[in-house]
Amino acid sequence: MSDCLFCKIAAGEIPSSKVYEDEKCLAFHDIDPQAPTHFLVIPKEHIGSVAEVNEDNAATVAHIFTVIAREAKRLGLQSYRVVSNIGEQAGQSVPHLHFHVLAGRDMTWPPG
Ligand code: AMP
Ligand code: ZN
């Protein structure tokens, strides 16, 4: 999608602090970290949010979760939270599917 921030980051048109990259996805540090470790994992193809996950793109989403598990292990994360906001009321500010991976501090439940 031409006017999408995360499509531009995925294409390398806007720089990011990369954690991991392969042909299907990119992980990069959040520009406004909410925990000592805070990175985002996005598909390279444009998917608007979890609400747009379907049988055609589910393999990419499953792949992203294998990347999250592997990167968390590689970084030595013992405990972490994976979050995806869907829609404005839930706090989604970038309309391209992304999973936040947060770690390194105590977290509360329920989330605010
Ligand atoms: P959300 O608000 O759940 O849609 O998450 C979007 C996240 O993207 C926020 O945590 C922002 O801090 C982060 N973000 C926005 N622009 C950039 C950028 N250029 N590089 C890295 N992270 C960004
Ligand atoms: Zn996009």
Side-chain angles (χ1 to χ4, degrees), residues 78-109:
Q78 303 289 325
S79 180
Y80 54 99
R81 186 171 286 179
V82 179
V83 177
S84 192
N85 299 318
I86 297 104
E88 252 177 62
Q89 191 176 26
Q92 184 177 12
S93 60
V94 179
H96 179 125
L97 178 64
H98 50 283
F99 295 96
H100 297 258
V101 180
L102 301 130
R105 65 165 170 80
D106 292 341
M107 292 185 197
T108 57
W109 192 264

Short mmCIF file of all heavy atoms in Angstrom, two decimals, residues 78-109:
data_model
loop_
_atom_site.label_atom_id
_atom_site.label_comp_id
_atom_site.label_asym_id
_atom_site.label_seq_id
_atom_site.Cartn_x
_atom_site.Cartn_y
_atom_site.Cartn_z
N GLN A 78 12.72 -14.01 29.30
CA GLN A 78 12.09 -15.06 30.11
C GLN A 78 10.58 -14.88 30.12
O GLN A 78 9.83 -15.84 30.24
CB GLN A 78 12.60 -14.98 31.56
CG GLN A 78 14.10 -15.09 31.70
CD GLN A 78 14.60 -16.49 31.40
OE1 GLN A 78 13.93 -17.47 31.71
NE2 GLN A 78 15.76 -16.58 30.80
N SER A 79 10.16 -13.63 30.06
CA SER A 79 8.74 -13.31 30.18
C SER A 79 8.48 -12.10 29.28
O SER A 79 9.28 -11.16 29.28
CB SER A 79 8.40 -12.99 31.63
OG SER A 79 7.03 -12.67 31.77
N TYR A 80 7.43 -12.15 28.53
CA TYR A 80 7.16 -11.03 27.63
C TYR A 80 5.69 -11.00 27.27
O TYR A 80 4.96 -11.96 27.51
CB TYR A 80 8.04 -11.08 26.38
CG TYR A 80 7.99 -12.36 25.57
CD1 TYR A 80 7.20 -12.46 24.43
CD2 TYR A 80 8.76 -13.48 25.92
CE1 TYR A 80 7.16 -13.61 23.66
CE2 TYR A 80 8.73 -14.64 25.16
CZ TYR A 80 7.93 -14.70 24.03
OH TYR A 80 7.90 -15.85 23.28
N ARG A 81 5.26 -9.88 26.71
CA ARG A 81 3.87 -9.73 26.30
C ARG A 81 3.82 -9.43 24.81
O ARG A 81 4.61 -8.62 24.31
CB ARG A 81 3.21 -8.59 27.10
CG ARG A 81 1.73 -8.47 26.83
CD ARG A 81 1.05 -7.49 27.77
NE ARG A 81 0.92 -8.04 29.12
CZ ARG A 81 0.38 -7.39 30.15
NH1 ARG A 81 -0.07 -6.15 29.99
NH2 ARG A 81 0.29 -7.95 31.34
N VAL A 82 2.90 -10.09 24.12
CA VAL A 82 2.67 -9.84 22.69
C VAL A 82 1.28 -9.21 22.57
O VAL A 82 0.31 -9.76 23.08
CB VAL A 82 2.72 -11.15 21.88
CG1 VAL A 82 2.47 -10.89 20.40
CG2 VAL A 82 4.07 -11.85 22.07
N VAL A 83 1.25 -8.04 21.94
CA VAL A 83 0.01 -7.27 21.85
C VAL A 83 -0.24 -6.83 20.42
O VAL A 83 0.70 -6.42 19.73
CB VAL A 83 0.10 -5.98 22.72
CG1 VAL A 83 -1.14 -5.12 22.59
CG2 VAL A 83 0.37 -6.31 24.18
N SER A 84 -1.48 -6.91 19.99
CA SER A 84 -1.86 -6.31 18.71
C SER A 84 -3.15 -5.53 18.91
O SER A 84 -4.16 -6.10 19.34
CB SER A 84 -2.04 -7.39 17.64
OG SER A 84 -2.12 -6.78 16.37
N ASN A 85 -3.11 -4.24 18.67
CA ASN A 85 -4.29 -3.40 18.82
C ASN A 85 -5.06 -3.38 17.50
O ASN A 85 -4.46 -3.28 16.43
CB ASN A 85 -3.86 -1.97 19.20
CG ASN A 85 -3.12 -1.95 20.54
OD1 ASN A 85 -3.51 -2.62 21.48
ND2 ASN A 85 -2.04 -1.18 20.61
N ILE A 86 -6.37 -3.49 17.60
CA ILE A 86 -7.21 -3.51 16.41
C ILE A 86 -8.22 -2.37 16.52
O ILE A 86 -9.10 -2.40 17.39
CB ILE A 86 -7.96 -4.87 16.25
CG1 ILE A 86 -6.95 -6.00 16.06
CG2 ILE A 86 -8.91 -4.83 15.06
CD1 ILE A 86 -6.74 -6.85 17.28
N GLY A 87 -8.06 -1.39 15.66
CA GLY A 87 -9.00 -0.27 15.65
C GLY A 87 -8.62 0.82 16.63
O GLY A 87 -7.85 0.61 17.57
N GLU A 88 -9.21 1.99 16.40
CA GLU A 88 -8.85 3.20 17.16
C GLU A 88 -9.12 3.07 18.65
O GLU A 88 -8.30 3.46 19.47
CB GLU A 88 -9.66 4.38 16.63
CG GLU A 88 -8.83 5.38 15.84
CD GLU A 88 -9.69 6.49 15.28
OE1 GLU A 88 -10.30 7.22 16.09
OE2 GLU A 88 -9.77 6.60 14.04
N GLN A 89 -10.26 2.51 19.00
CA GLN A 89 -10.61 2.46 20.42
C GLN A 89 -9.63 1.60 21.21
O GLN A 89 -9.36 1.85 22.38
CB GLN A 89 -12.05 1.95 20.62
CG GLN A 89 -12.52 2.15 22.05
CD GLN A 89 -13.96 1.75 22.28
OE1 GLN A 89 -14.50 0.91 21.56
NE2 GLN A 89 -14.58 2.35 23.28
N ALA A 90 -9.08 0.59 20.55
CA ALA A 90 -8.10 -0.29 21.21
C ALA A 90 -6.70 0.30 21.17
O ALA A 90 -5.77 -0.26 21.76
CB ALA A 90 -8.12 -1.66 20.56
N GLY A 91 -6.52 1.41 20.46
CA GLY A 91 -5.23 2.09 20.46
C GLY A 91 -4.39 1.87 19.22
O GLY A 91 -3.20 2.19 19.22
N GLN A 92 -4.99 1.33 18.16
CA GLN A 92 -4.21 1.14 16.93
C GLN A 92 -3.98 2.49 16.25
O GLN A 92 -4.93 3.20 15.92
CB GLN A 92 -4.92 0.19 15.95
CG GLN A 92 -4.09 -0.10 14.70
CD GLN A 92 -4.74 -1.10 13.75
OE1 GLN A 92 -5.92 -1.44 13.89
NE2 GLN A 92 -3.97 -1.57 12.78
N SER A 93 -2.71 2.85 16.07
CA SER A 93 -2.39 4.13 15.43
C SER A 93 -1.80 3.94 14.03
O SER A 93 -1.77 4.89 13.25
CB SER A 93 -1.42 4.93 16.30
OG SER A 93 -0.21 4.24 16.49
N VAL A 94 -1.32 2.75 13.71
CA VAL A 94 -0.78 2.48 12.37
C VAL A 94 -1.59 1.33 11.76
O VAL A 94 -1.58 0.21 12.28
CB VAL A 94 0.72 2.10 12.43
CG1 VAL A 94 1.24 1.81 11.03
CG2 VAL A 94 1.54 3.22 13.08
N PRO A 95 -2.31 1.59 10.67
CA PRO A 95 -3.21 0.58 10.11
C PRO A 95 -2.52 -0.45 9.21
O PRO A 95 -2.90 -0.66 8.05
CB PRO A 95 -4.24 1.41 9.34
CG PRO A 95 -3.50 2.64 8.93
CD PRO A 95 -2.46 2.89 9.99
N HIS A 96 -1.47 -1.06 9.75
CA HIS A 96 -0.76 -2.18 9.09
C HIS A 96 -0.48 -3.16 10.24
O HIS A 96 0.10 -2.76 11.27
CB HIS A 96 0.53 -1.66 8.45
CG HIS A 96 1.38 -2.70 7.77
ND1 HIS A 96 1.79 -2.59 6.45
CD2 HIS A 96 1.94 -3.85 8.23
CE1 HIS A 96 2.55 -3.63 6.13
NE2 HIS A 96 2.66 -4.41 7.20
N LEU A 97 -0.89 -4.41 10.06
CA LEU A 97 -0.77 -5.40 11.13
C LEU A 97 0.61 -5.38 11.79
O LEU A 97 1.63 -5.38 11.09
CB LEU A 97 -1.02 -6.80 10.55
CG LEU A 97 -0.89 -7.99 11.52
CD1 LEU A 97 -1.94 -7.93 12.61
CD2 LEU A 97 -0.98 -9.31 10.76
N HIS A 98 0.63 -5.33 13.11
CA HIS A 98 1.90 -5.39 13.84
C HIS A 98 1.65 -6.00 15.20
O HIS A 98 0.61 -5.78 15.81
CB HIS A 98 2.57 -4.02 13.97
CG HIS A 98 1.67 -2.93 14.49
ND1 HIS A 98 0.72 -2.33 13.69
CD2 HIS A 98 1.56 -2.36 15.70
CE1 HIS A 98 0.08 -1.41 14.40
NE2 HIS A 98 0.55 -1.42 15.63
N PHE A 99 2.65 -6.75 15.64
CA PHE A 99 2.62 -7.33 16.97
C PHE A 99 3.70 -6.65 17.79
O PHE A 99 4.87 -6.66 17.41
CB PHE A 99 2.84 -8.85 16.89
CG PHE A 99 1.72 -9.55 16.16
CD1 PHE A 99 1.83 -9.84 14.81
CD2 PHE A 99 0.54 -9.86 16.82
CE1 PHE A 99 0.79 -10.44 14.12
CE2 PHE A 99 -0.51 -10.47 16.14
CZ PHE A 99 -0.39 -10.77 14.78
N HIS A 100 3.29 -6.05 18.91
CA HIS A 100 4.24 -5.47 19.85
C HIS A 100 4.80 -6.61 20.69
O HIS A 100 4.03 -7.46 21.17
CB HIS A 100 3.54 -4.52 20.82
CG HIS A 100 2.90 -3.31 20.20
ND1 HIS A 100 3.48 -2.07 20.25
CD2 HIS A 100 1.72 -3.15 19.54
CE1 HIS A 100 2.68 -1.18 19.67
NE2 HIS A 100 1.61 -1.81 19.23
N VAL A 101 6.10 -6.63 20.90
CA VAL A 101 6.72 -7.57 21.85
C VAL A 101 7.38 -6.71 22.92
O VAL A 101 8.27 -5.90 22.63
CB VAL A 101 7.75 -8.48 21.16
CG1 VAL A 101 8.36 -9.45 22.19
CG2 VAL A 101 7.10 -9.26 20.01
N LEU A 102 6.87 -6.85 24.15
CA LEU A 102 7.30 -6.01 25.27
C LEU A 102 7.87 -6.88 26.38
O LEU A 102 7.29 -7.93 26.71
CB LEU A 102 6.12 -5.23 25.82
CG LEU A 102 5.41 -4.31 24.83
CD1 LEU A 102 3.90 -4.55 24.86
CD2 LEU A 102 5.71 -2.85 25.12
N ALA A 103 8.97 -6.43 26.98
CA ALA A 103 9.58 -7.21 28.05
C ALA A 103 10.48 -6.31 28.89
O ALA A 103 10.83 -5.20 28.47
CB ALA A 103 10.41 -8.37 27.47
N GLY A 104 10.84 -6.83 30.08
CA GLY A 104 11.86 -6.16 30.87
C GLY A 104 11.32 -5.33 32.01
O GLY A 104 12.09 -4.63 32.68
N ARG A 105 10.03 -5.38 32.24
CA ARG A 105 9.45 -4.68 33.41
C ARG A 105 8.19 -5.42 33.84
O ARG A 105 7.61 -6.21 33.06
CB ARG A 105 9.13 -3.22 33.09
CG ARG A 105 8.05 -3.01 32.06
CD ARG A 105 7.54 -1.57 32.07
NE ARG A 105 6.66 -1.25 30.96
CZ ARG A 105 5.36 -1.56 30.89
NH1 ARG A 105 4.79 -2.27 31.86
NH2 ARG A 105 4.64 -1.21 29.85
N ASP A 106 7.77 -5.16 35.09
CA ASP A 106 6.51 -5.73 35.55
C ASP A 106 5.37 -5.14 34.73
O ASP A 106 5.39 -3.95 34.40
CB ASP A 106 6.29 -5.41 37.03
CG ASP A 106 7.30 -6.13 37.92
OD1 ASP A 106 7.90 -7.11 37.46
OD2 ASP A 106 7.48 -5.68 39.07
N MET A 107 4.39 -5.97 34.42
CA MET A 107 3.25 -5.49 33.64
C MET A 107 1.97 -5.75 34.40
O MET A 107 1.87 -6.71 35.17
CB MET A 107 3.22 -6.18 32.29
CG MET A 107 4.38 -5.74 31.43
SD MET A 107 4.36 -6.38 29.79
CE MET A 107 6.07 -6.08 29.36
N THR A 108 1.00 -4.88 34.18
CA THR A 108 -0.25 -5.01 34.90
C THR A 108 -1.30 -5.68 34.02
O THR A 108 -1.20 -5.70 32.80
CB THR A 108 -0.77 -3.63 35.34
OG1 THR A 108 -0.90 -2.82 34.18
CG2 THR A 108 0.19 -2.97 36.30
N TRP A 109 -2.31 -6.22 34.67
CA TRP A 109 -3.46 -6.78 33.98
C TRP A 109 -4.70 -6.42 34.78
O TRP A 109 -4.66 -6.54 35.99
CB TRP A 109 -3.32 -8.31 33.86
CG TRP A 109 -4.34 -8.86 32.91
CD1 TRP A 109 -5.56 -9.41 33.22
CD2 TRP A 109 -4.24 -8.86 31.48
NE1 TRP A 109 -6.21 -9.75 32.08
CE2 TRP A 109 -5.43 -9.44 30.99
CE3 TRP A 109 -3.26 -8.44 30.57
CZ2 TRP A 109 -5.69 -9.59 29.63
CZ3 TRP A 109 -3.51 -8.60 29.23
CH2 TRP A 109 -4.72 -9.17 28.76
#
